[in-house]
Amino acid sequence: MEKYVPNIFFAFILIAGIGYFVMNVRKLIRNIKLGKDIDRTDRKPERWKNMVKIALGQYKMVRRPLSGILHIVVYVGFILINIEMLEIVIDGLFGTHRVFQPILGDTIYGFLIGNFEVLAALVFVAVIIFWLRRNIQRVKRFWSKEMTSWPKNDGNIILYFEMVLMSLFLIMNATDVNFQEAGAGNVVSQFIAPWFSSFSHEELHTIEKTAWWLHIVGILIFLNYLYYSKHLHILLAFPNTFFAKLDPKGQLDNLEAVTNEVKMMMDPDADPYAMPEGGAEDEVPAKFGASDVADLNWVQLMNAYTCTECGRCTSSCPANLTGKELSPRKIMMDTRDRLEEVGKNIDANGGVFKDDGKQLLNDYISPEELWACTSCNACVQECPIGIDPLSIIMEMRRYLVMEESAAPQELNMMMTNIENNGAPWQYSQMDRLNWKDE
């Protein structure tokens, strides 16, 4: 029975790690579903193409070649290396050692592990370069004012995670005596093995098993860390690009509530006091725009969770570049933070949201930020995974205008002129053609 203790312990941490991850995924889905329903199932061929091209193919990442190519190395390397997790899980549960080696043979197994080792080394180098760019070169977009302690540290924590996991993988192979003696697949680890030449076989075995355990535990910790990190995009980039808006970027959607109001005003036979079809007497009228996360649609909330905080949107925003308060990245970060706050409120109150006296507008995002936006779509164009900060900005501006009449003075004056004079200018319709007499 004693010899099965490691296998039982392995099964325990595996179930605990995956179980906690599933719990967080369910919470994530619950929070996203707090948003309004929207149909994004049309034009499926285009959506699949978007997902393959942008999420899988990293098409938009390489528009900035250095960071784009390095990201592809880390992305491809990290994903492929973790295929070996299947072997680690089987070995851990059944007490085997490199179970696939005799099944696949030294040639195929060596080819796979050799490629994994090369990728691990490339990932390690790419991560070092990312760390240098972030902390030594101090690329400006990583040090904007919204990048406070947690967002700033989160980027470094994930880099340290990847450095350690790649190192453990290579050390595990370098100290596996039988693997090194077979000489099949030790493309990189053969150069690390001499570092441990002074250790006995027993000590090497201990180092190997320690690296093996730390590697699997590290992977499970990394998996569960994702929910709390910007690196949740590793999972959400695929649905986010699939459900992204396909309409032309300059095309804004019409509010259904406004459309219904206009139709009623245009219908001389309409009863303004009649209840909407299927409505109830105590039904709350539809809100114009959005003041809190529940007023946004579920795709916008998924956008917030998917944000990588890379800052490409903000670094391309003309309002931000000219010193305005607006940062599209902050809009997404604030939306996610508020959504998380609402989710914790629901958890603390038995599955029901208890009014906390706060909302996304004013408590997180100020009107000054919203009105600084020029609606140029630069942020949408630059986002490497199809996030749309502009849609959230426009919904909140709609709320300010249509629910609170809180537009800037210039805009209020223009709308008053349109209402009274039929034009944005402050003179009557009778005077419109006076210019021809000058």
Side-chain angles (χ1 to χ4, degrees):
M1 181 64 184
E2 186 177 345
K3 70 175 183 177
Y4 296 114
V5 171
N7 307 100
I8 295 170
F9 180 68
F10 180 89
F12 172 77
I13 64 169
L14 185 67
I15 293 170
I18 294 176
Y20 189 66
F21 173 73
V22 170
M23 183 186 74
N24 279 332
V25 167
R26 292 179 63 184
K27 189 185 299 183
L28 173 72
I29 294 171
R30 187 275 313 272
N31 289 353
I32 290 173
K33 284 185 174 180
L34 293 175
K36 292 181 176 179
D37 191 29
I38 184 174
D39 184 12
R40 287 284 176 87
T41 58
D42 60 328
R43 300 158 67 178
K44 281 189 171 63
E46 287 183 64
R47 296 191 179 281
W48 284 110
K49 181 180 177 181
N50 258 4
M51 188 177 74
V52 171
K53 186 178 179 181
I54 299 174
L56 185 63
Q58 307 279 294
Y59 166 73
K60 295 182 78 174
M61 281 297 301
V62 293
R63 289 180 178 174
R64 303 191 184 191
L66 176 60
S67 57
I69 291 170
L70 290 173
H71 188 274
I72 289 175
V73 169
V74 174
Y75 169 74
V76 173
F78 198 77
I79 296 299
L80 292 182
I81 291 166
N82 282 320
I83 293 175
E84 200 203 7
M85 278 293 295
L86 179 59
E87 183 180 56
I88 290 177
V89 168
I90 295 173
D91 286 346
L93 291 174
F94 298 99
T96 53
H97 180 69
R98 295 192 182 273
V99 67
F100 289 151
Q101 190 168 9
I103 296 173
L104 298 175
D106 285 347
T107 302
I108 297 176
Y109 185 80
F111 174 78
L112 290 173
I113 298 298
N115 277 286
F116 293 164
E117 287 199 353
V118 170
L119 286 170
L122 290 174
V123 169
F124 189 87
V125 171
V127 167
I128 291 291
I129 295 173
F130 278 138
W131 187 90
L132 292 171
R133 279 167 53 82
R134 180 178 291 270
N135 298 284
I136 304 302
Q137 185 184 356
R138 294 174 72 90
V139 175
K140 185 178 179 181
R141 59 193 169 97
F142 297 137
W143 293 87
S144 301
K145 61 183 180 180
E146 66 264 22
M147 300 303 287
T148 53
S149 57
W150 171 245
K152 180 178 65 178
N153 292 333
D154 179 36
N156 281 329
I157 288 170
I158 212 76
L159 294 178
Y160 296 139
F161 251 119
E162 289 168 346
M163 288 182 205
V164 170
L165 290 175
M166 296 304 102
S167 298
L168 288 170
F169 172 72
L170 293 172
I171 290 171
M172 179 178 71
N173 286 351
T175 54
D176 185 339
V177 176
N178 293 333
F179 176 73
Q180 289 298 318
E181 288 178 351
N186 59 338
V187 180
V188 176
S189 60
Q190 63 178 312
F191 300 106
I192 301 174
W195 301 353
F196 302 92
S197 58
S198 60
F199 293 91
S200 66
H201 278 208
E202 292 76 14
E203 290 170 332
L204 287 174
H205 180 69
T206 300
I207 295 171
E208 179 205 352
K209 293 304 292 183
T210 302
W212 185 92
W213 276 103
L214 290 175
H215 185 72
I216 180 63
V217 171
I219 290 290
L220 291 173
I221 293 173
F222 178 86
L223 179 68
N224 285 285
Y225 178 75
L226 290 181
Y227 177 79
Y228 306 96
S229 167
K230 65 174 186 170
H231 287 76
L232 192 56
H233 73 270
I234 293 173
L235 305 177
L236 290 182
F238 292 91
N240 197 78
T241 48
F242 181 85
F243 292 113
K245 182 180 177 181
L246 297 179
D247 296 329
K249 289 184 174 59
Q251 180 178 327
L252 298 177
D253 62 313
N254 294 319
L255 283 177
E256 184 180 358
V258 174
T259 302
N260 292 337
E261 289 286 334
V262 172
K263 285 180 178 178
M264 187 171 65
M265 292 170 65
M266 299 292 288
D267 183 358
D269 300 321
D271 179 2
Y273 300 103
M275 288 207 313
E277 186 177 345
E281 287 188 18
D282 58 349
E283 184 176 346
V284 178
K287 182 189 289 186
F288 296 132
S291 63
D292 209 349
V293 289
D295 303 323
L296 300 171
N297 65 56
W298 65 267
V299 174
Q300 292 168 321
L301 299 186
M302 183 171 65
N303 279 183
Y305 272 122
T306 311
C307 179
T308 70
E309 298 176 15
C310 67
R312 292 189 179 201
C313 54
T314 295
S315 68
S316 302
C317 174
N320 186 273
L321 292 173
T322 53
K324 305 293 192 304
E325 283 296 312
L326 175 64
S327 168
R329 171 172 57 187
K330 180 180 177 295
I331 297 292
M332 304 315 300
M333 292 169 66
D334 286 343
T335 303
R336 181 184 61 208
D337 290 346
R338 173 56 181 166
L339 184 53
E340 271 295 288
E341 184 178 49
V342 169
K344 290 175 182 176
N345 182 306
I346 292 173
D347 292 335
N349 292 286
V352 179
F353 178 72
K354 184 177 180 180
D355 187 13
D356 58 2
K358 293 195 287 187
Q359 59 180 4
L360 183 61
L361 180 63
N362 294 319
D363 291 297
Y364 284 84
I365 300 171
S366 68
E368 184 181 357
E369 294 173 73
L370 299 173
W371 291 115
C373 177
T374 66
S375 66
C376 68
N377 273 288
C379 55
V380 183
Q381 177 68 22
E382 284 299 311
C383 180
I385 48 176
I387 292 170
D388 187 0
L390 178 61
S391 67
I392 295 177
I393 293 171
M394 295 307 295
E395 288 296 329
M396 297 182 76
R397 292 209 313 206
R398 281 171 167 167
Y399 176 84
L400 286 170
V401 172
M402 304 182 74
E403 293 278 353
E404 296 192 342
S405 300
Q409 182 181 354
E410 298 85 355
L411 187 56
N412 278 330
M413 186 179 299
M414 181 195 73
M415 290 188 289
T416 300
N417 289 336
I418 291 174
E419 182 179 0
N420 295 333
N421 306 325
W425 302 284
Q426 203 168 6
Y427 48 78
S428 71
Q429 297 183 40
M430 299 299 295
D431 296 331
R432 284 188 184 181
L433 295 179
N434 287 353
W435 62 272
K436 68 181 177 57
D437 297 324
E438 295 179 1

